[in-house]
């Protein structure tokens, strides 16, 4: 039976399958692999992602998928999905796919495959302030609207830490058994001139998998009134 995970996997494979070296990220131009922007998804002759593109298109119609939320990485996906679940929403059942692009520089690639030049789906997402111009250009290149893309000041982890406050985040860290590692981290000379919030944000990224785990945990710890504005606006737009 088709599910949103299968669609997400197909899109990820599709995005990775095009020729490297052209503009728009690791898959090439803002359209589909090898020129799918002109001919439709999955029609590029001989492109490595052709089969995955065909699968993605079929699944988009079967599920059906109406909106794709484009996020920079898996920790962002974990936070968005956790908060949606807390508010009683099943995004997959609503036809919403939450997708990690594997880096902000892939926005044009994914927008081209999934937006107007490709599958024609509605797009939404989050971006960091420093990446805003890159997102604007990538979405424009794909003729995709940026109306439902919302900006985090630094990144989503910083938004979550700021919303909860460092003492509350430390409590989550304690419950998870990471308090000794946190205390060792803050004693490092490189952390002396950073604010407590900056230290916590850095700490969350110091071990593989930690950002993903805490993305979900911190989202789950939020009270409704604490939800960061970009995250709240994103979910409201879906």
């Amino acid at each position: 039976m088709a599910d949103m995970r299968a669609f997400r996997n197909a899109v990820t494979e599709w995005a990775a399958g095009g020729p490297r070296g052209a503009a728009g990220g690791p898959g090439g131009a803002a359209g589909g692999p090898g020129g799918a922007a002109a001919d439709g998804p999955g029609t590029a002759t001989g492109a490595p992602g052709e089969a995955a593109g065909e699968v993605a298109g079929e699944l988009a119609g079967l599920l059906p998928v109406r909106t794709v939320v484009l996020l920079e990485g898996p920790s962002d996906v974990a936070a968005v999905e956790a908060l949606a679940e807390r508010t009683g929403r099943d995004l997959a059942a609503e036809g919403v796919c939450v997708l990690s692009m594997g880096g902000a520089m892939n926005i044009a690639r994914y927008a081209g495959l999934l937006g107007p030049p490709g599958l024609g789906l509605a797009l939404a997402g989050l971006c960091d302030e420093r990446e805003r111009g890159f997102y604007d250009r990538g979405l424009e290149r794909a003729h995709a609207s940026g109306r439902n893309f919302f900006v985090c000041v630094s990144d989503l982890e910083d938004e979550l830490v700021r919303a909860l406050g460092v003492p509350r985040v430390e409590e989550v860290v304690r419950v998870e058994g990471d308090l000794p590692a946190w205390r060792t981290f803050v004693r490092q000379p490189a952390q002396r001139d950073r604010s407590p919030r900056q230290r916590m944000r850095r700490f969350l990224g110091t071990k593989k998998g930690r950002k993903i785990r805490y993305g979900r945990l911190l989202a789950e710890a939020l009270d409704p009134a604490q939800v960061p504005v970009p995250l709240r606006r994103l979910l409201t737009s879906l």
Side-chain angles (χ1 to χ4, degrees):
M1 181 178 178
D3 60 17
M4 198 62 76
R5 181 178 300 177
F7 173 73
R8 185 165 53 220
N9 291 343
V11 171
T12 301
E13 184 178 347
W14 188 18
R20 297 179 181 272
D39 302 320
T43 61
T45 303
E50 179 180 350
E54 292 175 353
V55 171
E58 291 171 1
L59 289 173
L62 286 172
L63 290 169
V65 182
R66 61 176 179 85
T67 301
V68 180
V69 180
L70 297 175
L71 300 171
E72 182 173 347
S75 63
D76 304 316
V77 171
V80 170
E81 290 185 334
L83 190 59
E85 291 168 9
R86 280 206 63 194
T87 57
R89 296 185 63 178
D90 184 341
L91 294 181
E94 295 176 28
V96 177
C97 176
V98 184
L99 180 66
S100 167
M101 300 183 293
M105 292 185 67
N106 292 326
I107 180 61
R109 174 67 169 162
Y110 277 85
L113 294 177
L114 300 170
L119 298 185
L121 302 172
L123 303 178
L126 297 171
C127 71
D128 303 343
E129 179 63 45
R130 65 182 177 274
E131 306 286 359
R132 186 172 187 174
F134 194 82
Y135 269 66
D136 288 344
R137 292 189 296 274
L139 291 169
E140 182 179 5
R141 189 180 307 146
H143 308 290
S145 171
R147 181 178 65 252
N148 291 329
F149 283 78
F150 304 95
V151 180
C152 300
V153 175
S154 293
D155 54 27
L156 185 53
E157 286 77 25
D158 184 65
E159 295 281 352
L160 293 170
V161 172
R162 181 170 47 186
L164 288 166
V166 172
R168 178 70 181 95
V169 178
E170 284 183 334
E171 176 61 18
V172 175
V173 169
R174 183 193 66 77
V175 171
E176 289 298 300
D178 288 331
L179 197 57
W182 163 245
R183 288 173 173 167
T184 298
F185 178 79
V186 298
R187 288 196 296 266
Q188 294 176 0
Q191 305 307 318
R192 290 173 183 167
D193 295 332
R194 294 193 172 110
S195 69
R197 195 175 87 225
Q198 289 172 328
R199 292 171 188 164
M200 182 59 75
R201 176 171 166 255
R202 297 278 293 187
F203 173 72
L204 295 178
T206 56
K207 184 178 179 181
K208 185 177 181 180
R210 183 178 282 160
K211 282 180 67 173
I212 301 172
R213 181 160 56 99
Y214 278 95
R216 172 168 287 276
L217 290 169
L218 298 186
E220 291 174 342
L222 290 167
D223 292 330
Q226 293 178 308
V227 177
V229 171
L231 194 49
R232 182 172 69 247
R233 288 179 176 172
L234 173 64
L235 290 174
T236 300
S237 76
L238 300 176

